[in-house]
Short mmCIF file of all heavy atoms in Angstrom, two decimals:
data_model
loop_
_atom_site.label_atom_id
_atom_site.label_comp_id
_atom_site.label_asym_id
_atom_site.label_seq_id
_atom_site.Cartn_x
_atom_site.Cartn_y
_atom_site.Cartn_z
N LEU A 173 -15.28 -9.01 21.96
CA LEU A 173 -15.15 -7.81 22.79
C LEU A 173 -15.46 -8.04 24.26
O LEU A 173 -14.76 -7.55 25.15
CB LEU A 173 -16.06 -6.70 22.24
CG LEU A 173 -15.53 -5.89 21.05
CD1 LEU A 173 -16.56 -4.87 20.63
CD2 LEU A 173 -14.22 -5.20 21.40
N GLU A 174 -16.54 -8.77 24.54
CA GLU A 174 -16.99 -8.92 25.91
C GLU A 174 -16.24 -9.99 26.69
O GLU A 174 -16.30 -10.03 27.91
CB GLU A 174 -18.49 -9.25 25.92
CG GLU A 174 -19.37 -8.22 25.21
CD GLU A 174 -19.24 -6.84 25.81
OE1 GLU A 174 -19.03 -6.76 27.05
OE2 GLU A 174 -19.34 -5.84 25.08
N ILE A 664 -24.81 7.36 26.06
CA ILE A 664 -24.02 6.95 24.90
C ILE A 664 -24.52 5.59 24.43
O ILE A 664 -24.45 4.61 25.18
CB ILE A 664 -22.52 6.90 25.24
CG1 ILE A 664 -22.05 8.31 25.64
CG2 ILE A 664 -21.72 6.40 24.05
CD1 ILE A 664 -20.62 8.37 26.06
N PRO A 665 -25.05 5.50 23.21
CA PRO A 665 -25.65 4.25 22.73
C PRO A 665 -24.62 3.13 22.65
O PRO A 665 -23.45 3.34 22.30
CB PRO A 665 -26.16 4.62 21.33
CG PRO A 665 -26.26 6.11 21.32
CD PRO A 665 -25.18 6.59 22.22
N SER A 666 -25.07 1.94 22.98
CA SER A 666 -24.17 0.77 22.95
C SER A 666 -23.68 0.49 21.53
O SER A 666 -22.59 -0.04 21.35
CB SER A 666 -24.89 -0.46 23.52
OG SER A 666 -26.07 -0.73 22.76
N ILE A 668 -22.69 2.62 19.32
CA ILE A 668 -21.49 3.42 19.06
C ILE A 668 -20.26 2.78 19.68
O ILE A 668 -19.16 2.83 19.12
CB ILE A 668 -21.69 4.86 19.58
CG1 ILE A 668 -22.69 5.60 18.68
CG2 ILE A 668 -20.37 5.61 19.65
CD1 ILE A 668 -22.98 7.01 19.13
N LEU A 669 -20.44 2.13 20.81
CA LEU A 669 -19.31 1.53 21.52
C LEU A 669 -18.86 0.21 20.89
O LEU A 669 -17.96 -0.45 21.41
CB LEU A 669 -19.68 1.32 22.99
CG LEU A 669 -20.00 2.64 23.72
CD1 LEU A 669 -20.59 2.36 25.08
CD2 LEU A 669 -18.77 3.51 23.83
N LYS A 670 -19.48 -0.15 19.77
CA LYS A 670 -19.03 -1.32 19.00
C LYS A 670 -18.32 -0.90 17.71
O LYS A 670 -17.93 -1.76 16.92
CB LYS A 670 -20.22 -2.22 18.67
CG LYS A 670 -20.86 -2.86 19.90
CD LYS A 670 -22.06 -3.70 19.52
CE LYS A 670 -22.73 -4.30 20.75
NZ LYS A 670 -23.95 -5.10 20.39
N LEU A 671 -18.17 0.39 17.51
CA LEU A 671 -17.50 0.89 16.30
C LEU A 671 -15.99 0.85 16.52
O LEU A 671 -15.35 1.87 16.79
CB LEU A 671 -17.99 2.30 15.98
CG LEU A 671 -19.49 2.46 15.74
CD1 LEU A 671 -19.87 3.93 15.57
CD2 LEU A 671 -19.91 1.66 14.52
N VAL A 672 -15.42 -0.32 16.40
CA VAL A 672 -14.03 -0.52 16.80
C VAL A 672 -13.03 0.14 15.87
O VAL A 672 -11.83 0.19 16.18
CB VAL A 672 -13.71 -2.03 16.93
CG1 VAL A 672 -14.51 -2.64 18.06
CG2 VAL A 672 -13.97 -2.76 15.62
N LEU A 685 -19.42 8.13 31.31
CA LEU A 685 -18.92 7.24 30.26
C LEU A 685 -19.01 5.79 30.73
O LEU A 685 -18.61 5.48 31.86
CB LEU A 685 -17.46 7.57 29.93
CG LEU A 685 -17.16 8.90 29.26
CD1 LEU A 685 -15.66 9.03 29.02
CD2 LEU A 685 -17.90 9.03 27.96
N PRO A 686 -19.51 4.90 29.88
CA PRO A 686 -19.57 3.48 30.27
C PRO A 686 -18.18 2.85 30.21
O PRO A 686 -17.29 3.32 29.49
CB PRO A 686 -20.50 2.87 29.22
CG PRO A 686 -20.37 3.76 28.03
CD PRO A 686 -20.12 5.14 28.56
N VAL A 687 -18.00 1.77 30.94
CA VAL A 687 -16.71 1.08 30.95
C VAL A 687 -16.38 0.51 29.57
O VAL A 687 -15.20 0.33 29.23
CB VAL A 687 -16.70 -0.06 32.00
CG1 VAL A 687 -16.86 0.52 33.40
CG2 VAL A 687 -17.78 -1.08 31.72
N SER A 688 -17.41 0.27 28.76
CA SER A 688 -17.17 -0.30 27.43
C SER A 688 -16.57 0.70 26.45
O SER A 688 -16.35 0.37 25.30
CB SER A 688 -18.47 -0.88 26.86
OG SER A 688 -19.51 0.08 26.90
N ILE A 689 -16.29 1.93 26.91
CA ILE A 689 -15.60 2.90 26.06
C ILE A 689 -14.26 2.33 25.60
O ILE A 689 -13.75 2.65 24.53
CB ILE A 689 -15.41 4.24 26.80
CG1 ILE A 689 -14.91 5.33 25.84
CG2 ILE A 689 -14.46 4.11 27.97
CD1 ILE A 689 -15.94 5.84 24.90
N SER A 690 -13.67 1.43 26.41
CA SER A 690 -12.37 0.85 26.06
C SER A 690 -12.47 -0.13 24.89
O SER A 690 -11.44 -0.57 24.38
CB SER A 690 -11.76 0.15 27.28
OG SER A 690 -12.59 -0.90 27.72
N ASN A 691 -13.70 -0.47 24.47
CA ASN A 691 -13.86 -1.30 23.26
C ASN A 691 -13.35 -0.58 22.02
O ASN A 691 -13.04 -1.22 21.01
CB ASN A 691 -15.33 -1.67 23.06
CG ASN A 691 -15.82 -2.67 24.08
OD1 ASN A 691 -15.03 -3.29 24.78
ND2 ASN A 691 -17.14 -2.82 24.17
N LEU A 692 -13.29 0.73 22.08
CA LEU A 692 -12.85 1.52 20.92
C LEU A 692 -11.32 1.49 20.87
O LEU A 692 -10.63 2.41 21.28
CB LEU A 692 -13.39 2.95 21.03
CG LEU A 692 -14.92 3.06 21.19
CD1 LEU A 692 -15.35 4.51 21.28
CD2 LEU A 692 -15.64 2.34 20.07
N LEU A 693 -10.81 0.40 20.31
CA LEU A 693 -9.39 0.07 20.39
C LEU A 693 -8.48 1.11 19.73
O LEU A 693 -7.36 1.33 20.17
CB LEU A 693 -9.14 -1.30 19.72
CG LEU A 693 -10.09 -2.43 20.10
CD1 LEU A 693 -9.87 -3.61 19.20
CD2 LEU A 693 -9.86 -2.80 21.55
N PRO A 716 -14.31 6.28 33.44
CA PRO A 716 -14.14 4.91 33.96
C PRO A 716 -12.66 4.53 34.03
O PRO A 716 -11.83 5.06 33.29
CB PRO A 716 -14.90 4.05 32.95
CG PRO A 716 -14.89 4.85 31.69
CD PRO A 716 -14.97 6.29 32.12
N GLU A 718 -11.29 2.08 32.93
CA GLU A 718 -10.86 1.46 31.66
C GLU A 718 -10.24 2.45 30.70
O GLU A 718 -9.67 2.06 29.68
CB GLU A 718 -12.06 0.75 31.00
CG GLU A 718 -12.47 -0.56 31.66
CD GLU A 718 -13.15 -0.36 32.99
OE1 GLU A 718 -13.55 0.81 33.31
OE2 GLU A 718 -13.31 -1.34 33.74
N MET A 722 -6.77 2.40 27.04
CA MET A 722 -6.91 2.89 25.67
C MET A 722 -5.57 3.48 25.21
O MET A 722 -5.33 4.68 25.27
CB MET A 722 -8.05 3.91 25.59
CG MET A 722 -9.38 3.32 26.05
SD MET A 722 -10.75 4.49 26.06
CE MET A 722 -11.01 4.71 24.30
#
Side-chain angles (χ1 to χ4, degrees):
L173 278 179
E174 303 301 328
I664 298 177
S666 59
I668 288 179
L669 299 170
K670 294 178 182 178
L671 301 175
V672 294
L685 292 180
V687 296
S688 53
I689 190 74
S690 61
N691 289 346
L692 305 180
L693 313 170
E718 286 72 14
M722 302 177 71

